[in-house]
Amino acid sequence: MAGTSRTRLVNPRLGTYFGIFAAALAALVIMALMFEQLGASDSAIRFLMLAGPIALYGAIGLLSPARETNDYFACGRRVPAFFNGLVLAVSALGGAGFLGLTGVFFAVGFDALCLSLGICAGLVFMGVLLAPFLRKFGAYTVPSYLSRRFESPALRVVAAATLAVPLLLLLAAEARFAAYAAAWLTAQSERLMAVAVVVCVTVMVLAGGMRSHTWSGSAKAIAALVALAVPATIVAIMMSNLPLPQITHGNTLRVLTRVESARGLPLVAAPLLAFDFPGEGLEPLAKRFIQAFGSVGSLAFALMSLVAAAGIAGSPSLLSRPGSSPGVHESRKSFGWAVLIAGVVLLTLPAVAIFLRLMLLDQVIGQPVDRLPAWFQALQKAGIARVDATTPAVGFGNVSFDRDAVLFSLSFAAGFPQALVYLALAGALAAALLALAGALVGSAVLLSEDIVHGLQTEGAPDSSRVGAARVALVGVAFLTGWLAVAAPADPFKLFLWSLTFSASAAFPVLVLSVWWKRINSWGAMVGMLTGLGVAAFVILLAEAGALTMPSVLAGAIGLPAGFAATVVASMLTPLPSRNVVNILQEIRVPGGETLYDRELRLQRLRGRSPA
Amino acid sequence: MIEWSERKAYWRHTKVQMLTSLLPFLLALIVLPFYAEVLNDARVLGIPLGYFLACHGLLVIAFVTMAVFVNRQDAIDHWHGAHEDI
C-alpha cells in the first residue's frame, strides 16, 4: 500500500466504538444486578449474562464482513497498536490463562509463576525477534512466509502440516475451557456447551475472517479485562481498603503466610525436574503459597519459563497478528501494549488466588466439619469443593478444590450478588472465546491457503480465496467440536503441550530465518520436522513413564534439537541462492513496500495486461 | 529508502540492540526466581521481596525492556534512513 498514509488507514472512531461497547457491557451488568435485587429468577440473570455479551460480540463480528483477501486475512492492515496489543495479550492467555492459571496459583502459589513469566517473556521475544520482520514480509500465514522466504513450495506444505499440531491442541484446549465456563454459566452439560461455543465462534468470524476476529476480539478482550478487574477490585477494597489488588495484597499475603504456618501447611521440597501442577477437577492445596520450588523443581521452573516463552513467541495463531498492523513500527508498538496488558492481568490472577486462599484457610480449615460457612457449603453442593470427613475438624489433606473454578469462586466466597459471579464467568468465557476464535481462524487460513490451494493460491481471484477460507473455517469448526467432545485429556495440559510443540517446531526455524543468513530451505524443513518429531517422541516416552521428566517439558529437548538440526542441515547443503538472500535483506529493513503486497500487486498488473 | 551501503551498518546496529534488549531480560528471567527463597525474608509493601521481584519485578522489567526496545529501534531506523516512509 505504498503512498497511503497510516492515519488514513486507521479508523479514528475506534475508541468511540469500543467506549460504546464498554458502556453497553457496564449497563448490562448493572441491569442484571438490579433485576436480581428486584427478584428476577436466577435463570433469567444467567441468560442475560451469557446471551448479552455474546450477542454484542456476534453483532460486531457479523457487521464487519470482508470480501477482499487483504481484509479477510489481514484485517486490511489497519489495526492500531493498542487494539492489536489488547487482542494479542488476552489471546495469549486465553481460557487457559484466566481459568487454569488462577487455579494453579491457588494450588501451588509461587511455582505457577514459571508459566505467567513465560507467557509475558514470550510476548517480548516475539516482539523483538519475529513480529517486525514478519510484518515487513506481510504474508497471511507462517507457512506462506517460510515458502516465499526460502523459495521452496514444498516447505509450505511441510510447515502447514507441522504447525497444525500446536494449533489443533490449542483449539481443543480453548474449546474445553470455553465449554467449562459456559457450562457453569448455563447449568447445562459441558459437551452440549462445547458444541454451542464452537458454533457461536464460527458464526462470529465466518463473515469477515481476520477482520471479524479482530474487532469482535477487541470487544471480548475488553469484557474479559472488565470482568477480571471488577470482582478483584471489590475484594481488594474489602480486604485492604485500597482498590489495587495487583499491589495491595501484601498485607493479605502476610496474614496468609502466618495462617498457613499456624495451620501446619507442609513445607515441601521438590526434586529438580519435578513438575506437579494440579490436574483437572478437584485438587488439594499442595504447599505454602510463598514457598518457592515446592511443586515445581528449580530446574523445571527455569525450563518451563523458557519453553512457555518460546511457545508463545512461535505460536502460529498469534503470529498472524502482526500482519494486521499498519506498519513495522506500529507492530513493534503493539507488543509494548501487549506486554503491559498481559502484565496487569498476570498480576491480578495471583491476587485473586491469594484472596480466595486466605478465605479458605481462615474460615474453613480447622473448623468443625458440620459448621462450615454457607458459601463453602454452597460450593460443596455445586461440586466445586469437597471435604472428606474423616476427622471432626477440617484439615489440609481433606479439602480439595476445583482448579478451574477458582476465578469465579472468589466472587461467590466474598458474598457478592449472583450477577457478579456470572460476570466473572462471562469474562473467562470471553477470554476463552477469543483464543478459540484466533486458533480457529489461524487453522482455517492455514488449511485453505497452504494446503488446499497449495502452490497457486496467489493467482486465484479474491472471491475464491475467501470462499475457500470460509469453507475451511466450517470444516475446522466441525473438527474442533469433535475434539472438544472427544479429547479426554486435561485442557490445561493440552495448552502446555501446544506451547511445547510450537516452541520446538516453529520457534527455532522462525528465529533463524530472520537472524541467520546461512539458513536454507533444507535447514528449515529438517529443523521443523526434527523439532516436531523430538517433541512428540519425548512426550510419548514421558507419558509412558519411560523417561523421568514431565511431558510438558518436552520442548526443553525439542527446542535445542530444532536449532541444532536447522544449523546442521543448512551447513551440509548448498548456500542459499542470491535471490533468497535478497529477500532476507528486504525483510530486515522496515522501510519500503510490504513484500507480499508488492507480489500481489505485480501479479494483478500482469494479469490485466495481455501478454 | 535505505542506501545499499548503509544496510550492513544498520543490521549491525539492530543486532546489538536486540542483544542488549534480550540478554539482560533473559538473565533476570532465569536467575531471579532462584534467589526468591533467600530474598523472601525482606518485604516490600508487605509482600515478601523474593516473590515481589519474581512476580511484579520481572513483569515490570519485561514492559520496560519492550518500551525501550521500541523507541531505540525506531531511533536506529531513522538514523540509518531505514524507517517507513509514511
Side-chain angles (χ1 to χ4, degrees), chain A residues 454-473:
Chain A
L455 314 179
Q456 78 287 17
T457 326
E458 275 63 36
D462 277 12
S463 58
S464 82
R465 285 174 77 179
V466 170
R470 289 202 174 118
V471 174
L473 196 61

Side-chain angles (χ1 to χ4, degrees), chain A residues 259-272:
Chain A
V259 174
E260 276 175 354
S261 61
R263 301 261 197 259
L265 203 61
L267 275 170
V268 275
L272 272 185

Side-chain angles (χ1 to χ4, degrees), chain A residues 6 246 327-329 588 590-591, chain B residues 10-11 37 46 56 77 82 84 86:
Chain A
R6 193 185 299 164
Q246 293 85 1
V328 175
H329 177 61
R588 286 177 170 183
Chain B
Y10 169 73
W11 188 246
E37 198 80 318
H56 300 62
D77 290 355
E84 298 153 279
I86 301 180

Side-chain angles (χ1 to χ4, degrees), chain A residues 416-512:
Chain A
F416 290 165
Q418 283 294 317
L420 283 186
V421 180
Y422 299 144
L423 173 68
L425 270 168
L429 177 64
L433 286 180
L434 173 54
L436 179 61
L440 202 63
V441 173
S443 7
V445 175
L446 203 75
L447 182 63
S448 72
E449 288 275 290
D450 297 322
I451 293 181
V452 174
H453 271 239
L455 314 179
Q456 78 287 17
T457 326
E458 275 63 36
D462 277 12
S463 58
S464 82
R465 285 174 77 179
V466 170
R470 289 202 174 118
V471 174
L473 196 61
V474 175
V476 175
F478 271 108
L479 184 65
T480 311
W482 177 76
L483 274 177
V485 173
D490 170 14
F492 199 69
K493 205 167 185 184
L494 292 176
F495 172 70
L496 294 179
W497 277 344
S498 146
L499 290 184
T500 270
F501 273 116
S502 55
S504 28
F507 184 72
V509 170
L510 285 170
V511 167
L512 290 177

